[in-house]
Amino acid sequence: MTALCFVFVMLMAVAITVLRVSPFKPLRLVGDLYVQIFRNIPGVSLLVIIVYALPNLNLVLPYRTCVIVTVILVASAFGSENFMSGINTIGVGQIEAARSLGLSFGQILRKIVIPQALRTTVLPMTNLLIAVMLSTSLGSQVPLTPPELTGVVSYINTRSTGGILAFGIAAAGYALTAVAIAFVGNRLDRKVRIKR
Amino acid sequence: MTQPIIELKHVDKHYGDLHVLKDVNLAVDKGEVVVVIGPSGSGKSTLCRTINRLETIDSGEILIDGEPLPEEGKELAAMRAELGMVFQSFNLFAHMSILDNVTLGPIDVLGVPKAEAEKRAMDLLGRVGVAEQAHKVPAQLSGGQQQRVAIARSLAMHPKAMLFDEPTSALDPEMINEVLDVMVDLASQGMTMIVVTHEMNFARRVANRVVFMADGAIVEEGTPDEFFDHPKSARARDFLDSIKGH
């Protein structure tokens, strides 16, 4: 679920960021609005909205999809912020140079802006991946089959004593996964970092 | 009379209350080297940047080969592709090799096949003396080398004219000449050039015409000998006095 979410998070984040740097003001506003909305709603609240409010609009999603959509919406807003800060490090000079060569807006994005933004945001995106992994624990709030880790642990806790042990094991699982992601992220960052 | 390659007619521009270009008129013929000098804040960089519309103008007209500068869009991109631009801060693409910096324009804008673009890029890099660095990234090169790459990058587009916006101002003194030498070469091969610079020796040696700007206006223009030996305006005399004696 984490991997699936993160793929969509990155795609959405790129799309939103393209809106936010586009030459058309309405598109920029849409992008900014998206980020402001989804960055500022707690994941649980958003999940509740999607699970309980959308059916009123005749939109009933499976629970699993609800969790995935929630995580994607929230994380892509943060991801877009990461990209924006990556873009801000590129410097207007390179963009001007690209315009002087006659490159179009789309070409400048594809060849100059996105490749550099991706490389400078490896570390923040690693953080985001860890956050995405951790926020899949939102799944504990809705019935899932197969169940989500935090949900399982809560279930064990309500059924038997010794809950601390179960939570401890789950926490260790999350932490180990996070450490592994951070390790890979650091290695990747060192490999693709742009020398300045 | 032949048509000028670049012509500015009654160009005005404001930044808020600041009048940065005041009724600027300038015509540059094919093969001509025009050096724009003047104190900082005189609008000379802005002038250079308006010519490929990195800065917009408030009123007046800019003609390239007799055609008015297009609005933002495809036509403007096509026109920019025909004008080379060299910046004070080099502005090489930091994530690409030197070779890719030079081939990007030809491949993506002009549609030149990759092998051909690379061959020509290597020729150009050889001409500016950095062929051995082709597979490094910009940060591994000295400022002088980076600026020479930037010149090669512009030349790769077969420009009708080249704009230089203070190309040596960000360089350490020992690297200035290696860049100027490349520019002297270009001028001697008949490239049309507008050069904004503080390098008076370069202006004297290479310019066909010197344009002196102050406070957003062209105060006087003439051949290097006229301008440096017999400046007409008090403003130009003051400026020349202030840079002498160093």
Side-chain angles (χ1 to χ4, degrees):
Chain A
M1 184 143 79
T2 300
L4 175 72
C5 282
F6 196 64
V7 169
F8 279 99
V9 164
M10 293 305 281
L11 292 177
M12 282 290 285
V14 169
I16 299 300
T17 308
V18 168
L19 289 183
R20 294 175 77 194
V21 297
S22 81
F24 304 105
K25 198 159 184 213
L27 292 182
R28 287 204 299 271
L29 282 178
V30 169
D32 288 343
L33 196 66
Y34 178 96
V35 170
Q36 289 309 328
I37 291 175
F38 293 113
R39 194 178 54 167
N40 297 331
I41 297 182
V44 178
S45 313
L46 189 61
L47 182 63
V48 169
I49 292 171
I50 289 174
V51 172
Y52 295 109
L54 288 189
N56 288 340
L57 304 170
N58 287 324
L59 187 60
V60 183
L61 300 172
Y63 285 123
R64 177 169 297 275
T65 312
C66 287
V67 174
I68 291 174
V69 167
T70 305
V71 172
I72 290 172
L73 288 175
V74 173
S76 60
F78 282 98
S80 174
E81 283 294 271
N82 288 350
F83 278 134
M84 289 302 276
S85 67
I87 286 173
N88 287 334
T89 63
I90 293 174
V92 70
Q94 286 186 49
I95 311 290
E96 287 185 343
R99 289 163 75 197
S100 302
L101 286 175
L103 274 80
S104 67
F105 174 73
Q107 286 174 321
I108 294 174
L109 274 185
R110 281 201 312 279
K111 298 285 181 167
I112 311 296
V113 175
I114 293 177
Q116 292 193 57
L118 282 176
R119 286 158 179 240
T120 50
T121 50
V122 170
L123 284 184
M125 288 303 179
T126 306
N127 290 339
L128 186 66
L129 175 56
I130 292 172
V132 165
M133 187 227 2
L134 298 181
S135 54
T136 54
S137 61
L138 277 175
S140 62
Q141 304 302 308
V142 293
L144 289 182
T145 37
E148 186 279 335
L149 178 57
T150 303
V152 173
V153 174
S154 298
Y155 180 71
I156 293 172
N157 189 38
T158 51
R159 288 295 297 273
S160 58
T161 50
I164 287 180
L165 181 64
F167 276 114
I169 292 170
Y174 281 122
L176 279 176
T177 314
V179 167
I181 292 173
F183 177 74
V184 173
N186 277 324
R187 291 288 290 268
L188 182 63
D189 176 60
R190 237 171 290 159
K191 200 164 168 193
V192 302
R193 185 185 299 177
I194 299 162
K195 297 185 189 75
R196 291 188 195 278
Chain B
M1 198 184 116
T2 56
Q3 172 147 284
I5 284 199
I6 296 169
E7 191 171 13
L8 287 82
K9 290 180 177 171
H10 305 293
V11 169
D12 269 277
K13 179 177 178 66
H14 299 77
Y15 284 130
D17 288 340
L18 195 66
H19 201 167
V20 281
L21 293 177
K22 294 176 187 161
D23 191 29
V24 171
N25 292 282
L26 181 69
V28 180
D29 289 325
K30 190 169 167 48
E32 207 179 4
V33 177
V34 173
V35 172
V36 184
I37 61 178
S40 40
S42 60
K44 51 193 195 307
S45 273
T46 309
L47 174 76
C48 190
R49 291 162 56 84
T50 58
I51 295 171
N52 65 359
R53 213 171 185 276
L54 288 177
E55 302 277 355
T56 55
I57 57 175
D58 299 337
S59 63
E61 232 186 334
I62 297 176
L63 304 171
I64 308 296
D65 258 348
E67 298 285 323
L69 211 51
E71 295 284 306
E72 211 67 42
K74 266 205 179 93
E75 286 170 35
L76 179 63
M79 191 282 304
R80 279 176 175 151
E82 297 181 340
L83 291 176
M85 176 101 186
V86 175
F87 300 85
Q88 181 175 346
S89 48
F90 331 134
N91 296 344
L92 296 180
F93 306 127
H95 62 305
M96 292 182 180
S97 72
I98 296 306
L99 184 63
D100 290 342
N101 263 275
V102 180
T103 57
L104 177 70
I107 293 174
D108 281 63
V109 178
L110 304 179
V112 176
K114 187 162 183 243
E116 196 185 321
E118 288 187 347
K119 185 167 171 293
R120 172 152 167 84
M122 288 309 297
D123 282 352
L124 285 168
L125 289 173
R127 239 171 90 186
V128 299
V130 287
E132 324 76 74
Q133 325 285 344
H135 297 287
K136 295 186 179 170
V137 294
Q140 294 170 301
L141 271 60
S142 72
Q145 289 173 326
Q146 288 193 49
Q147 193 61 299
R148 286 183 278 152
V149 172
I151 294 173
R153 176 175 68 178
S154 290
L155 289 176
M157 300 297 286
H158 299 282
K160 299 182 185 174
M162 293 273 290
L163 310 170
F164 293 85
D165 184 6
E166 303 203 21
T168 57
S169 299
L171 295 176
D172 292 336
E174 73 270 24
M175 294 171 184
I176 289 176
N177 280 332
E178 65 188 49
V179 171
L180 291 181
D181 286 346
V182 169
M183 293 168 63
V184 171
D185 253 14
L186 264 184
S188 68
Q189 285 156 23
M191 175 62 77
T192 310
M193 293 161 61
I194 295 182
V195 184
V196 174
T197 186
H198 295 288
E199 295 299 323
M200 298 304 149
N201 286 329
F202 174 81
R204 215 182 235 283
R205 243 166 73 213
V206 182
N208 301 112
R209 186 150 45 109
V210 173
V211 170
F212 175 71
M213 285 186 78
D215 299 325
I218 294 182
V219 178
E220 76 174 82
E221 51 184 303
T223 65
D225 288 346
E226 278 168 16
F227 177 77
F228 287 109
D229 298 334
H230 309 286
K232 287 175 282 214
S233 62
R235 203 59 220 264
R237 277 195 297 275
D238 285 351
F239 176 74
L240 289 174
D241 282 346
S242 73
I243 57 173
K244 242 185 270 169
H246 283 295

